[in-house]
Amino acid sequence: MAPMRAIRCVILFKRGSIADVDGFNKWIDTQFADSPQTGLAIYPEGHRSTHGESLPLKRGMLKYAYTRKLPVQIVIGGNKESILSERHRTARFHQTVAVGFSEVLKPEEYDDFEIFMQKVQATWDKEWNEVFTANLEGLPVLPEVPEPQFDYPIDISIMMAIFAPLNILIAAWAARFTWRLVAAVMVLMGPLQWPVAGLVVAYIVASFYVYSQPENVLILHKKMLQQRKQAPPIVPATAAAGEENGDIKKGQ
């Protein structure tokens, strides 16, 4: 995150209720103006979700886009967790991700923010349903497009020149530390070190094979959603106890 912050391609702030919305939006203005980036990428649901259903969109940054007349395009990717899942601690190769792009929504074409918000929500729901119900087999491959070229100011170029070799040094140190740690553990195993090493190598090879097979987590998400819909509603403990005692009373 530090290198990304150094080249001003991310804006960091504390999530939660914002007392001074106008002041916060002006701060976003200054951060955006100070960056060589030409667009903002936000996660309007508030956070990533693997529940198998879309969450209601947050209004804050969409209202910011509306007041600043910034065009909005919805981009949704499905089956991303098949590549990297923090929840299940898995990483896979050769996976297919379904991606949907909406039309560009221009705030100046809407007289009221509420109408604009309704259009964004409807467009989001449409793209979400298309992506998460897509058949991953036979999807057309996204065409390659040239990466945007930015004219970075000299101070950002200097930070990039500092962080690039620093990251290489940190990776080299981590690799050396890991190797020394593994070697120390192997020595402690005595005559069992080579059989154990063989099992570890076999496990790694098998893992590469297993996690290079196509995986469709969208099906898993659908099953999880169906299970939640079929599950009985959760009754608060106090209410459940009152029903058993027959003393539930309605408020006057």
Side-chain angles (χ1 to χ4, degrees):
M1 183 60 70
M4 297 176 66
R5 185 69 186 93
I7 63 175
R8 303 173 198 161
C9 66
V10 295
I11 300 176
L12 302 178
F13 58 89
K14 185 178 179 180
R15 293 173 54 185
S17 178
I18 299 175
D20 185 4
V21 176
D22 290 337
F24 176 78
N25 288 342
K26 291 178 181 179
W27 177 77
I28 293 290
D29 289 338
T30 59
Q31 295 291 308
F32 192 25
D34 196 37
S35 171
Q37 308 298 322
T38 58
L40 286 171
I42 65 172
Y43 296 87
E45 288 181 298
H47 58 83
R48 292 178 297 174
S49 171
T50 59
H51 290 168
E53 58 184 343
S54 176
L55 301 177
L57 302 185
K58 304 292 185 180
R59 299 165 58 89
M61 289 305 297
L62 289 173
K63 193 165 188 178
Y64 172 86
Y66 180 81
T67 57
R68 270 60 177 177
K69 305 304 179 186
L70 300 176
V72 173
Q73 184 179 34
I74 296 169
V75 181
I76 297 180
N79 204 42
K80 301 184 297 297
E81 290 79 14
S82 67
I83 299 176
L84 181 64
S85 174
E86 297 177 359
R87 180 178 181 181
H88 300 287
R89 296 182 294 278
T90 57
R92 294 182 174 89
F93 309 92
H94 308 299
Q95 304 300 312
T96 299
V97 174
V99 181
F101 301 85
S102 78
E103 60 182 305
V104 177
L105 305 178
K106 300 179 179 179
E108 59 270 18
E109 297 178 355
Y110 300 86
D111 297 331
D112 180 75
F113 169 71
E114 295 300 331
I115 300 176
F116 176 72
M117 183 69 193
Q118 292 174 8
K119 178 62 176 179
V120 172
Q121 182 70 68
T123 306
W124 171 277
D125 293 339
K126 176 178 178 294
E127 289 295 325
W128 197 96
N129 289 329
E130 289 182 356
V131 168
F132 281 84
T133 58
N135 183 1
L136 297 183
E137 297 182 2
L139 286 177
V141 178
L142 289 176
E144 294 187 7
V145 296
E147 295 185 4
Q149 301 297 320
F150 300 110
D151 293 326
Y152 290 104
I154 185 62
D155 58 332
I156 292 183
S157 299
I158 292 175
M159 295 301 297
M160 295 170 66
I162 293 174
F163 274 105
L166 182 61
N167 286 340
I168 295 175
L169 290 175
I170 293 175
W173 176 87
R176 183 173 181 271
F177 175 80
T178 302
W179 175 256
R180 290 173 65 90
L181 179 62
V182 170
V185 172
M186 294 292 289
V187 169
L188 294 176
M189 292 184 177
L192 296 177
Q193 58 181 304
W194 292 115
V196 171
L199 291 175
V200 171
V201 171
Y203 172 78
I204 293 175
V205 172
S207 297
F208 271 96
Y209 172 77
V210 171
Y211 288 105
S212 65
Q213 303 305 305
E215 181 77 8
N216 188 347
V217 299
L218 300 182
I219 297 178
L220 175 61
H221 289 173
K222 291 178 183 178
K223 291 181 179 178
M224 293 171 59
L225 178 59
Q226 292 175 354
Q227 291 174 356
R228 284 198 303 274
K229 289 182 177 180
Q230 296 172 357
I234 299 176
V235 180
T238 54
E243 289 178 353
E244 292 178 359
N245 297 331
D247 58 358
I248 295 297
K249 298 181 180 179
K250 293 184 179 180
Q252 300 299 323

